[in-house]
Amino acid sequence: MSVPKAISPHRLSSLLRRQKDPNLALQLFQNPNPQLQSTKPFRYSLLSYDIIITKLARAKMFDQMDQILLQMGRETRFVTKEIIFCNVISSYARARLPHKALEMFEQIPSFRCRRTLKSYNAVLDALLKCGEIGKMREFLVGLGNQVNPDVCTFNILINANCKYGCLDDARNVFDTMLSRGVEPNEVTFATLISGFCSNCKLEEALRLKEDMSKVYGVKPNSSVYVSLIKELCRIGEFGLAFGLKDEMEREKVTLGLTVYTTFISALFKVGKKDEAHKILEEMKGSGLKPDTVTYNAMIHGFCMENDLNAAYKVLDQMVKEECKADIITYNIIIGGLCKDGKWSEANDLFEDLPRLGYKPDVVSFRTMFVGLCNCRRFNEAATFLDEMLFKGYIPSSEGRQKIVDGLCQEGDMKLLVKVLSSLGNANSIGVDTWELVISMVCKKESLSNVSEKVDTLLVPNNFLYRPKEGKLY
DNA sequence: AGACAAGGCG
């Protein structure tokens, strides 16, 4: 019988890297030599810590990740690299855990690792991604004098202003960075141009694209083109959009998946399926395989035309190509089914999501709720509402309007009161909803009855209309 | 090597 050979720390790293399943990777990490009853502790390399931590962070297995972090902190053979913590911070941002991101930042020194601008920027970006603008400002002020912002810091601040529609402020940050001698890079311009495009300022976006090469000597990259193409398609300027695609080819900017997907999505939206298929073929011809985003764009296109069969065919295609559908794929299909009047089928699919391995998100709940309202299934919608509120999801303002509107039209005051009560308890009524209710009731009843009606809506259910909190979510 | 930008649902 041959004696099993122990695997080396180096070999463990390469095995870990290849293991796609985070659970199996963790098992492997914790017990690299299951055949050997070794008494000596395994000498993990920094790289293997790096790989397993990054894998666990991406899989949002934070408890397990914390254990490994602690274990790494006890190692004395090497100095931990800051980039590992940056990755952890980004993962917390993706999981919408801003507190954990900040906590990680605080703990970096306890790993005998020096904090630099890198982790500082990672936190700044994490707070932005989580919508924690107040915390972001605090963080900036708190460490203001200790850091010298670099391009990346400025890029994050520009992005923050763009995300909140403050294009002038974004420009100001850009000017500040110039005046402080920090050279803008392609990310800076891509961020600004994307901001202009998504705020309907195409002219400025195009001008900046010209300036970036002429004035600043930075060549427009694929992201810049994608933003411009997307906006041009949105306003129906397909000719100009294709013109930019030609320009990319002339300028030898790589036509990546994102460019093709942008065109496919836009063409599907205006019903130009033939052209979309031409682009799809061209894309495949250049050796690119459609990914989840590409397929989702197609499924969305078919759903908008109520062609559920074609949409399901794309889903089959995804399975064949081993391209994993995600929650967005299913949100699109649920919306499509409702749009086609198939609310019951949509509801079955919604209920089935956990079994299929997907966790319904805000959009799933809101889509299903609006869908039920649009199909005028108000009883089902009211039941669904309680379920979603219980889970902590609040319907969109469109959804709230739809159900109140619908119940008023149906004259189902009893259910209306129940729905308002549920929304009230979730503290998510909003002025808009109240205005709607009152105007609806006014239309329905003679004026003398209105106050009485509003009273029955208010008193027995303990509604408190608090103007300060009557704000939209 | 890797932080920051860019394509899909509401």
Side-chain angles (χ1 to χ4, degrees):
Chain A
M1 197 178 126
S2 67
V3 180
K5 232 179 118 201
I7 71 169
S8 69
H10 182 74
R11 174 119 178 87
L12 177 65
S13 301
S14 77
L15 287 176
L16 281 174
R17 203 193 293 280
R18 259 180 287 158
Q19 179 53 258
K20 291 280 171 275
D21 184 327
N23 280 298
L24 293 177
L26 180 60
Q27 264 180 41
L28 183 64
F29 182 89
Q30 286 168 332
N31 200 358
N33 285 312
Q35 329 251 15
L36 298 175
Q37 306 292 325
S38 175
T39 47
K40 271 190 285 178
F42 193 86
R43 290 170 67 85
Y44 293 99
S45 64
L46 176 60
L47 183 59
S48 62
Y49 276 110
D50 188 343
I51 297 168
I52 191 68
I53 288 169
T54 307
K55 268 202 166 53
L56 293 173
R58 280 189 217 258
K60 298 184 183 156
M61 295 165 66
F62 294 120
D63 291 337
Q64 294 91 329
M65 184 195 77
D66 279 339
Q67 291 304 312
I68 308 291
L69 274 172
L70 281 174
Q71 186 181 335
M72 182 177 74
R74 289 192 295 267
E75 296 278 3
T76 49
R77 291 171 294 126
F78 44 72
V79 181
T80 320
K81 281 189 301 177
E82 188 187 15
I83 192 76
I84 298 180
F85 303 111
C86 293
N87 286 331
V88 171
I89 290 169
S90 310
S91 295
Y92 278 130
R94 266 196 298 276
R96 292 289 137 109
L97 296 167
H99 301 95
K100 298 292 286 182
L102 270 170
E103 207 178 287
M104 183 73 261
F105 178 77
E106 301 297 338
Q107 286 169 353
I108 295 176
S110 73
F111 289 92
R112 299 179 316 282
C113 177
R114 219 170 64 84
R115 273 192 309 218
T116 72
L117 251 187
K118 273 188 198 172
S119 49
Y120 177 87
N121 288 339
V123 172
L124 213 52
D125 185 58
L127 294 175
L128 170 61
K129 288 219 164 74
C130 296
E132 297 277 0
I133 298 305
K135 285 225 173 66
M136 208 180 160
R137 201 164 289 137
E138 259 173 54
F139 193 71
L140 272 171
V141 174
L143 291 155
N145 299 323
Q146 296 166 45
V147 292
N148 240 332
D150 64 357
V151 215
C152 189
T153 319
F154 282 114
N155 289 347
I156 296 167
L157 296 180
I158 289 174
N159 192 24
N161 283 302
C162 289
K163 288 261 150 67
Y164 287 85
C166 310
L167 277 311
D168 292 338
D169 292 327
R171 269 263 194 225
N172 289 337
V173 176
F174 179 72
D175 292 338
T176 309
M177 97 184 253
L178 291 181
S179 69
R180 291 182 63 155
V182 178
E183 297 251 328
N185 61 14
E186 53 178 29
V187 178
T188 317
F189 291 105
T191 309
L192 269 170
I193 289 172
S194 150
F196 284 132
C197 285
S198 47
N199 285 281
C200 309
K201 294 184 193 296
L202 183 61
E203 302 266 313
E204 286 181 80
L206 285 168
R207 204 176 316 133
L208 193 58
K209 180 210 153 237
E210 291 305 312
D211 285 354
M212 72 182 276
S213 49
K214 285 196 191 115
V215 182
Y216 303 96
V218 182
K219 195 181 163 193
N221 64 7
S222 166
S223 309
V224 169
Y225 281 104
V226 167
S227 300
L228 292 167
I229 289 172
K230 185 187 175 190
E231 178 60 7
L232 284 168
C233 288
R234 192 190 66 82
I235 62 172
E237 294 282 2
F238 284 91
L240 292 174
F242 278 108
L244 283 182
K245 178 170 168 283
D246 295 340
E247 187 182 307
M248 288 180 81
E249 285 171 328
R250 277 201 308 276
E251 299 289 327
K252 306 259 180 297
V253 181
T254 315
L255 284 167
L257 248 188
T258 48
V259 179
Y260 288 109
T261 304
T262 307
F263 274 112
I264 291 170
S265 166
L267 291 168
F268 258 99
K269 274 188 182 145
V270 292
K272 297 186 180 179
K273 277 200 296 293
D274 292 344
E275 284 193 59
H277 274 106
K278 247 190 261 163
I279 293 285
L280 188 66
E281 288 311 311
E282 186 188 323
M283 179 186 118
K284 286 179 182 164
S286 66
L288 294 168
K289 276 175 68 177
D291 67 359
T292 310
V293 181
T294 320
Y295 283 124
N296 285 351
M298 293 167 64
I299 293 176
H300 183 240
F302 286 124
C303 283
M304 292 214 313
E305 304 177 337
N306 291 344
D307 191 348
L308 269 305
N309 275 328
Y312 278 126
K313 257 187 215 151
V314 178
L315 197 61
D316 290 339
Q317 183 72 18
M318 290 176 82
V319 177
K320 248 183 251 147
E321 308 261 322
E322 289 180 0
C323 173
K324 187 113 172 60
D326 60 13
I327 189 64
I328 297 180
T329 315
Y330 285 98
N331 289 346
I332 295 168
I333 295 177
I334 287 170
L337 285 167
C338 290
K339 189 176 165 294
D340 201 24
K342 301 184 170 108
W343 61 273
S344 178
E345 203 178 315
N347 198 54
D348 290 345
L349 181 57
F350 181 90
E351 302 280 328
D352 227 18
L353 286 177
R355 204 184 51 78
L356 293 168
Y358 300 94
K359 187 180 179 289
D361 64 3
V362 218
V363 182
S364 322
F365 278 98
R366 290 183 173 179
T367 305
M368 192 63 233
F369 181 70
V370 169
L372 286 169
C373 291
N374 284 334
C375 292
R376 306 196 69 78
R377 305 303 303 194
F378 297 115
N379 281 304
E380 286 82 359
T383 310
F384 189 84
L385 176 67
D386 283 333
E387 188 192 325
M388 74 184 277
L389 290 173
F390 178 73
K391 295 234 165 79
Y393 296 109
I394 291 163
S396 59
S397 106
E398 184 204 3
R400 299 193 303 252
Q401 196 160 325
K402 286 245 158 85
I403 196 164
V404 171
D405 207 340
L407 286 171
C408 287
Q409 281 172 24
E410 308 261 304
D412 191 343
M413 288 300 140
K414 214 176 136 215
L415 196 53
L416 178 62
V417 169
K418 187 178 163 282
V419 163
L420 287 172
S421 163
S422 298
L423 287 171
N425 287 334
N427 216 345
S428 57
I429 282 204
V431 190
D432 57 336
T433 312
W434 277 115
E435 281 170 358
L436 191 69
V437 173
I438 291 170
S439 77
M440 285 300 172
V441 173
C442 287
K443 263 186 233 156
K444 206 125 196 132
E445 310 284 324
S446 66
L447 211 60
S448 62
N449 282 336
V450 171
S451 59
E452 191 192 322
K453 216 51 163 188
V454 173
D455 280 349
T456 62
L457 287 174
L458 289 169
V459 183
N461 295 282
N462 267 326
F463 284 139
L464 290 170
Y465 171 46
R466 285 154 267 170
K468 267 188 204 153
E469 291 171 31
K471 134 181 182 262
L472 277 178
Y473 279 82

